[in-house]
Amino acid sequence: MYSAMRAARYSIVPPASNNDSNDSGENKEQNDARDEERRQTEQIVDTGSVITGDGRHMIHCLTIIGQIEGHNVLPSQNKTTKYEHVIPQLVAIEEEPRIDGLLIILNTVGGDVEAGLALAELVAGMKKPTVSLVLGGGHSIGVPLAVAAKHSFIASSATMTIHPVRMNGLMLGVPQTLEYFQRMQERITQFVTDNSHITPQRFYDLAMNTEELVMDVGTVLDGPDAVREGLIDSLGSLSDAIDCLYKMIDKDKKAAKKPAKSTKKTGKKA
């Protein structure tokens, strides 16, 4: 028995055949695929986003759900999107050369006005192609976030609530408080109208409507109405939003490959 164990211990292992090397290569590919899947799962859990593509286009999908959490921490039972997590993601997306575009999927009830407006300004200021898709709801400060993308979509079953600015908690009943509300409302109106096809007066009329909501002031628009009012660009679903983003990416790539025209006399760009 000892001699058999000794022989097995010191036996010469024959060189691996081609089949063995092929098997090891297949195992490595499977392990790499599992690692990539695990990494994407962790990214979805941690940040609510994922990087994906079709081989020719690499896009970053960012979700904005629940309440937009700003300077105050919301209760733990609330679904929230923390703006301090989204801001660095947007900067990284803009600076990452391998990412071609951004798809934003919204299903939010609104939240902190200044935090939501800050995120909307960042999205509107990006050079890369951006497309937004409203599913379920894009209410309150979710409206500026939806229109901030270069092209916006809304599902036919989704809704958007437009209402004036409100504040929770203690406030002073003085004219300056009302003036502050008015100025903040003007900032939101200006941003929305600059990034959509709705007029300031029409947006103001929808926000101040007193004939639709029982316990509030404002207007609820479903998908077709939001497009009809010029608030959202198109009615569509996920495939429509992705196709639109791919077309925008292809257009930008073609423009980047086009040689710069120059004049014969000075050599400067025309």
Side-chain angles (χ1 to χ4, degrees):
M1 181 177 179
Y2 175 77
S3 60
M5 292 174 61
R6 184 183 179 90
R9 181 179 178 184
Y10 293 102
S11 62
I12 299 175
V13 179
S17 64
N18 291 335
N19 293 335
D20 294 337
S21 62
N22 292 337
D23 291 342
S24 62
E26 292 176 359
N27 291 336
K28 185 177 184 303
E29 291 179 358
Q30 292 176 358
N31 291 335
D32 291 343
R34 281 195 293 267
D35 291 341
E36 178 66 18
E37 184 178 354
R38 189 181 304 111
R39 186 189 65 79
Q40 286 197 357
T41 302
E42 292 175 352
Q43 184 179 10
I44 293 173
V45 173
D46 294 339
T47 65
S49 64
V50 66
I51 299 174
T52 185
D54 63 350
R56 295 188 304 111
H57 312 87
M58 185 67 69
I59 65 173
H60 190 112
C61 176
L62 177 67
T63 58
I64 297 179
I65 53 93
Q67 286 185 262
I68 298 169
E69 188 177 271
H71 304 297
N72 297 321
V73 179
L74 295 173
S76 58
Q77 67 267 21
N78 290 28
K79 287 282 188 179
T80 62
T81 296
K82 300 179 183 296
Y83 87 119
E84 69 270 21
H85 293 173
V86 179
I87 288 176
Q89 286 189 70
L90 293 175
V91 175
I93 293 166
E94 179 73 353
E95 292 298 312
E96 175 54 59
R98 292 174 296 179
I99 296 177
D100 300 316
L102 171 64
L103 173 64
I104 304 171
I105 296 180
L106 296 108
N107 187 6
T108 176
V109 296
D112 190 286
V113 173
E114 289 189 345
L117 201 56
L119 295 179
E121 289 282 5
L122 283 177
V123 173
M126 294 179 69
K127 293 181 179 179
K128 289 186 176 179
T130 55
V131 171
S132 64
L133 173 61
V134 179
L135 298 172
H139 307 293
S140 189
I141 199 62
V143 174
L145 283 165
V147 304
K150 292 179 174 60
H151 196 95
S152 56
F153 285 88
I154 186 171
S156 58
S157 61
T159 57
M160 304 183 78
T161 303
I162 303 172
H163 61 69
V165 176
R166 70 277 311 276
M167 181 180 291
N168 296 327
L170 180 65
M171 65 185 72
L172 297 177
V174 294
Q176 289 87 338
T177 301
L178 299 178
E179 183 182 354
Y180 172 75
F181 279 4
Q182 183 65 32
R183 290 170 61 185
M184 184 173 290
Q185 184 64 49
E186 290 174 357
R187 288 163 53 197
I188 295 172
T189 302
Q190 185 68 43
F191 181 87
V192 171
T193 54
D194 285 347
N195 291 275
S196 67
H197 302 291
I198 195 170
T199 63
Q201 184 60 47
R202 181 55 180 164
F203 187 80
Y204 179 83
D205 291 342
L206 293 174
M208 298 300 174
N209 183 17
T210 59
E211 298 179 358
E212 182 168 337
L213 303 179
V214 177
M215 300 294 291
D216 204 345
V217 178
T219 304
V220 178
L221 299 175
D222 58 16
D225 287 338
V227 176
R228 195 176 303 113
E229 292 286 353
L231 191 62
I232 299 296
D233 295 320
S234 304
L235 198 67
S237 60
L238 178 60
S239 59
D240 301 311
I242 292 177
D243 288 343
C244 178
L245 184 57
Y246 285 168
K247 289 178 182 178
M248 293 170 65
I249 292 171
D250 290 337
K251 184 178 179 180
D252 280 8
K253 287 184 177 180
K254 287 180 181 179
K257 290 180 180 179
K258 191 178 296 184
K261 295 181 180 179
S262 59
T263 61
K264 293 181 179 179
K265 292 183 179 179
T266 64
K268 295 180 180 180
K269 293 181 180 179

